[in-house]
Amino acid sequence: MTDARPAVLVLGAEGFIGTAIRRHLAPRARLLSVDLRPLTPIAARFPYGGVVPWERAFQVDLGDPAQVDRLWADLAPEHAGLGGVVMLAAYYDFLNRPDARYARLQAGLERLLRLVGRDLPPDAPFVFASSMAGLAPTEPGHPLTADSPRLGAWAYPASKLAAERALLAADIPQPRVQLVLAGVYSDLCELVPLYQQIERVRSRSPEKYFLPAHPDRGLTYVHLDSVADAFVRALERLRGRPGLHRLLIGQGHPVTYREIHDRASLAFHGRRLPLLRIPAPVASAGAWLLAHAARLVGRRRFILPWMIRFAGEHFELDPAPALEALGWSDPRDLRQDLDRLLDVAAHHPRLWREINARRPW
């Protein structure tokens, strides 16, 4: 018997967000999963009540035009019935240096958009994962919207904005969707900056007492499962709605640097530790010295001098348009989830560090 469910092409399928999206899509779609790395079948990761999800896996370098063309030829039997494309493939690190992988993936995206426009059903959405980091920061009490200014002040968000421009310029009939994601965390954290902040408070280093910014600013977060839900809803609810749809995906309130510091210090030290604001030039000099010392002993530090100027950025998002367009809101809230994360960090440190060490930075 032929499986009548639509197929969904997931690019960057083996990653943190890609795996979650595949898990949510598996009961309702046939998965065409693509990644640079070998893929672990989604059926081997999660139980599905005895029903084995339908999935084909492809190991492809999307920065190589020849491999993109071969993938597209392999997918030819699926073109007419494809229900949508999820584009997650991206390169990122926290080094903030030029890297050829950004440009290679940008060229691959532009090639894919041309192929999608030529061969896929006109109602099949192309859903792209963008990042809150590409927005210009705001002030507390002034939520960002889809029309807020972009900035892209360092390498990774700049690559996301280049991809956004390609999606805007693409002359294709399919719905084009930009989901701009807040800081994505899981039940075990797996969000590098948040993990690093928590571990800094745990440490014996005097760094934990200092912040080169106003501590009552902060970031907006979103739970991994809620992100996957937003992608599924975008594929279903924006089907057949041409044009560009840009939606901010995040919780309704930011969490301040001070709140995370206070609650982490209570969890690890039994009391609220001081958090003192220091001048950015002092912090930059300290970051340079500590990074240099770490290199001398063959270690790598997360905080680098270039990060200091961004330390006080404030991001809060207006989630109302996502609720209107997708019926989406995040039932989770980091302010409620933080105690659970800190409990794992405090009482299961080996698991906590093993899981979070897998996240690249």
Side-chain angles (χ1 to χ4, degrees):
M1 183 176 179
T2 303
D3 192 332
R5 293 176 300 170
V8 175
L9 177 61
V10 182
L11 304 158
E14 185 68 6
F16 176 55
I17 296 174
T19 299
I21 291 173
R22 288 158 63 205
R23 176 166 60 89
H24 280 70
L25 279 172
R28 65 189 81 196
R30 294 178 295 118
L31 296 172
L32 303 168
S33 301
V34 180
D35 204 282
L36 178 63
R37 298 160 292 184
L39 276 97
T40 302
I42 200 66
R45 290 179 179 267
F46 303 100
Y48 284 95
V51 178
V52 178
W54 193 104
E55 183 175 32
R56 287 181 64 194
F58 303 85
Q59 188 174 355
V60 176
D61 179 357
L62 295 173
D64 181 340
Q67 291 192 44
V68 171
D69 289 343
R70 284 198 298 272
L71 169 68
W72 206 249
D74 289 341
L75 293 174
E78 300 285 356
H79 288 169
L82 207 64
V85 179
V86 172
M87 180 59 176
L88 302 162
Y91 175 72
Y92 87 95
D93 62 35
F94 288 94
L95 298 175
N96 194 26
R97 297 171 183 165
D99 194 295
R101 284 169 286 194
Y102 289 122
R104 293 181 75 252
L105 280 169
Q106 176 72 13
L109 170 64
E110 293 171 1
R111 176 65 176 157
L112 279 165
L113 285 168
R114 290 192 292 271
L115 295 170
V116 165
R118 186 190 71 187
D119 294 331
L120 263 54
D123 61 349
F126 187 100
V127 188
F128 171 74
S130 195
S131 172
M132 176 179 74
L135 294 166
T138 185
E139 296 293 326
H142 297 275
L144 296 162
T145 71
D147 298 321
S148 292
R150 276 75 144 180
L151 184 58
W154 53 286
Y156 169 66
S159 74
K160 284 295 187 181
L161 295 190
E164 287 185 9
R165 290 191 292 270
L167 203 60
L168 177 64
D171 184 17
I172 63 175
Q174 291 83 7
R176 292 159 292 152
V177 185
Q178 295 175 1
L179 297 186
V180 182
L181 307 181
V184 183
Y185 70 97
S186 75
D187 288 342
L188 292 170
C189 189
E190 300 183 83
L191 175 58
V192 173
L194 179 59
Y195 167 70
Q196 293 287 341
Q197 183 181 358
I198 290 171
E199 285 298 291
R200 204 155 50 247
V201 177
R202 184 208 296 264
S203 75
R204 296 180 179 179
S205 170
E207 283 183 275
K208 63 175 171 283
Y209 299 112
F210 302 105
L211 184 72
H214 199 296
D216 291 323
R217 293 169 173 257
L219 306 179
T220 295
Y221 298 88
V222 62
H223 192 276
L224 176 64
D225 287 339
S226 302
V227 169
D229 179 54
F231 275 86
V232 172
R233 288 172 181 264
L235 289 167
E236 294 175 348
R237 300 203 180 197
L238 299 180
R239 186 176 182 84
R241 294 178 57 184
L244 182 70
H245 307 266
R246 179 174 168 83
L247 299 166
L248 307 187
I249 303 299
Q251 294 163 1
H253 302 280
V255 182
T256 67
Y257 306 112
R258 185 192 300 277
E259 181 172 357
I260 294 170
H261 175 87
D262 285 351
R263 291 168 67 178
S265 61
L266 279 170
F268 298 131
H269 305 288
R271 61 189 178 92
R272 286 188 173 88
L273 301 177
L275 183 59
L276 307 174
R277 186 175 180 181
I278 61 169
V282 175
S284 294
W288 185 89
L289 287 170
L290 290 169
H292 180 67
R295 284 194 299 271
L296 291 177
V297 296
R299 295 178 57 196
R300 183 181 168 199
R301 274 177 49 83
F302 176 70
I303 295 180
L304 299 174
W306 72 266
M307 298 179 179
I308 301 302
R309 62 178 282 230
F310 301 103
E313 288 187 328
H314 183 80
F315 290 95
E316 57 183 281
L317 308 183
D318 178 6
L323 178 61
E324 180 179 355
L326 305 179
W328 179 90
S329 63
D330 193 346
R332 307 289 291 267
D333 188 326
L334 182 64
R335 290 175 302 180
Q336 275 73 55
D337 287 341
L338 188 56
D339 285 340
R340 182 164 26 196
L341 296 182
L342 293 171
D343 183 70
V344 176
H347 297 101
H348 306 280
R350 180 178 294 180
L351 172 65
W352 166 261
R353 289 180 172 131
E354 177 184 342
I355 293 296
N356 284 282
R358 297 175 188 168
R359 300 291 294 132
W361 56 273

